[in-house]
Amino acid sequence: MHSEKASLGLRLAAWGGLLFLHFPILVIVLYAFNTEDAAFSFPPKGFTLKWFAVALARPDVLEAIKLSLQVACLATLIALVLGTLASAALYRRSFFGKESISLLLILPIALPGIITGIALLSAFKRLGMEPGVLTIVVGHATFCVVIVYNNVIARLRRTSQSLIEASMDLGADGWQTFRYIILPNLGSALLAGGMLAFALSFDEIIVTTFTAGHERTLPIWLLNQLSRPRDVPVTNVVAMLVMLVTMLPILGAYYLTRGGESVAGSGK
C-alpha cells in the first residue's frame, strides 16, 4: 500500500512538472486562435483562423521562414558530412589526443550560446567576413555537428565489428562494405541526427543574433515582434508554427533511435 501511494505521488509530481513546463506553450497555442477583440483577455472570447491567413500573407514572415529553412537545411547537410566523418575516424582508431578531440567536438553544444556567438563574430571579423547567410550557416553547423556526431558514434559502438570483417572476408571492397553493411546500420542514426540538427538550427536565436548581421531568421523576427503589441495575434501564430516545426523532428528522432539496441550485431 505504501509503495502504491509513493508511485501515485511520483506520477502526480511528474505530470505536475510537465504541466508547469508546457503551460506557457499551451497559452500561446490557445491565443493563436483567439479573436481580434479579445487579444489580451483571459479566457479567450472566441475562436478564429483569421490570424493564420494574415500571418502567411505577410512578406516579412514568409521571408523569415524561407531564410530559416535555408539555413537549417545547409547547416544540417554540413553537420551530417562532418559529424559522420568525425565519428568514423574517432571510433575506428586510437591515437594520442583522441579524448581531447572528442571534447573539442562536444564543446560547442556545452558552451553558453552567447560565448559561442561572440567567439564566432570575432573569428569572422578577423577573417574579414561580413555577417550574413554564410556566417549564420557556419555558426549553426558548429553545434549541429555535435548532434550528428553523438548519434552516429553511439550507433557505431553498438554495431558489431565482426559484420565488417565478415564482409571484407567475403570479398567486398571498402565501398561495398560501407554501402551494404555500415550505411544500413547508420541509416536511422543519421536520419535522427539530421532531424535533431534541423530542429536545433531552425529555432536558434542566441548564436544567430551575433552572426546574422542584417538578415532576419524566424526566431529573430519573433524577438523583434516583442516591441509591437498590435501584432501579438500574428506573433502567436508564428510562434506556434515554430514550435511545430521543431517539435515534430524531435519526436521523429526519438522514435527512430529508441529501438537502437536492436541494431543488427549489437552487443554480440
Side-chain angles (χ1 to χ4, degrees):
M1 180 66 68
H2 180 72
S3 62
E4 291 180 359
K5 290 183 178 179
S7 178
L8 178 61
L10 288 174
R11 287 199 296 268
L12 290 176
W15 282 108
L18 289 174
L19 179 63
F20 176 78
L21 291 173
H22 292 90
F23 181 75
I25 297 176
L26 295 177
V27 171
I28 290 177
V29 172
L30 186 64
Y31 272 86
F33 298 95
N34 198 16
T35 59
E36 180 178 5
D37 295 335
F40 295 98
S41 64
F42 188 86
K45 304 301 183 182
F47 178 89
T48 181
L49 296 175
K50 169 187 175 182
W51 301 116
F52 289 84
V54 173
L56 296 177
R58 288 181 49 164
D60 56 337
V61 175
L62 295 178
E63 287 296 323
I65 292 174
K66 179 181 177 181
L67 179 60
S68 289
L69 289 174
Q70 178 185 357
V71 169
C73 289
L74 291 173
T76 301
L77 181 61
I78 294 172
L80 284 172
V81 174
L82 297 182
T84 303
L85 293 176
S87 59
L90 293 176
Y91 165 72
R92 296 191 63 182
R93 296 287 183 267
S94 296
F95 53 88
F96 177 76
K98 177 180 177 178
E99 296 301 326
S100 299
I101 295 176
S102 299
L103 177 62
L104 290 175
L105 281 169
I106 299 173
L107 199 58
I109 202 70
L111 288 174
I114 189 170
I115 302 298
T116 303
I118 292 174
L120 286 169
L121 180 60
S122 300
F124 292 145
K125 291 295 185 182
R126 182 64 65 101
L127 294 173
M129 298 174 60
E130 291 297 323
V133 176
L134 177 60
T135 57
I136 300 175
V137 171
V138 173
H140 286 198
T142 57
F143 53 80
C144 288
V145 168
V146 183
I147 305 298
V148 177
Y149 168 78
N150 284 337
N151 276 271
V152 174
I153 201 167
R155 180 59 55 86
L156 286 172
R157 287 169 179 165
R158 292 199 297 266
T159 302
S160 176
Q161 186 68 24
S162 62
L163 293 174
I164 301 175
E165 295 174 355
S167 174
M168 304 296 284
D169 289 342
L170 291 172
D173 56 27
W175 167 248
Q176 290 174 320
T177 300
F178 174 78
R179 180 181 177 184
Y180 295 110
I181 303 299
I182 300 177
L183 191 58
N185 280 278
L186 295 182
S188 59
L190 287 171
L191 184 58
M195 293 168 73
L196 287 172
F198 179 89
L200 191 63
S201 172
F202 189 81
D203 70 350
E204 167 59 38
I205 186 170
I206 300 177
V207 173
T208 311
T209 302
F210 289 92
T211 58
H214 297 293
E215 302 290 342
R216 289 205 305 176
T217 61
L218 202 55
I220 292 181
W221 182 91
L222 285 170
L223 182 63
N224 293 336
Q225 289 298 109
L226 294 178
S227 60
R228 299 177 181 178
R230 292 185 179 181
D231 283 346
V232 167
V234 175
T235 304
N236 289 332
V237 169
V238 176
M240 190 184 76
L241 293 177
V242 170
M243 287 187 290
L244 286 175
V245 171
T246 54
M247 178 183 67
L248 294 177
I250 292 173
L251 290 175
Y254 166 74
Y255 283 107
L256 282 171
T257 56
R258 66 175 181 171
E261 65 277 1
S262 62
V263 173
S266 61
K268 297 181 181 178

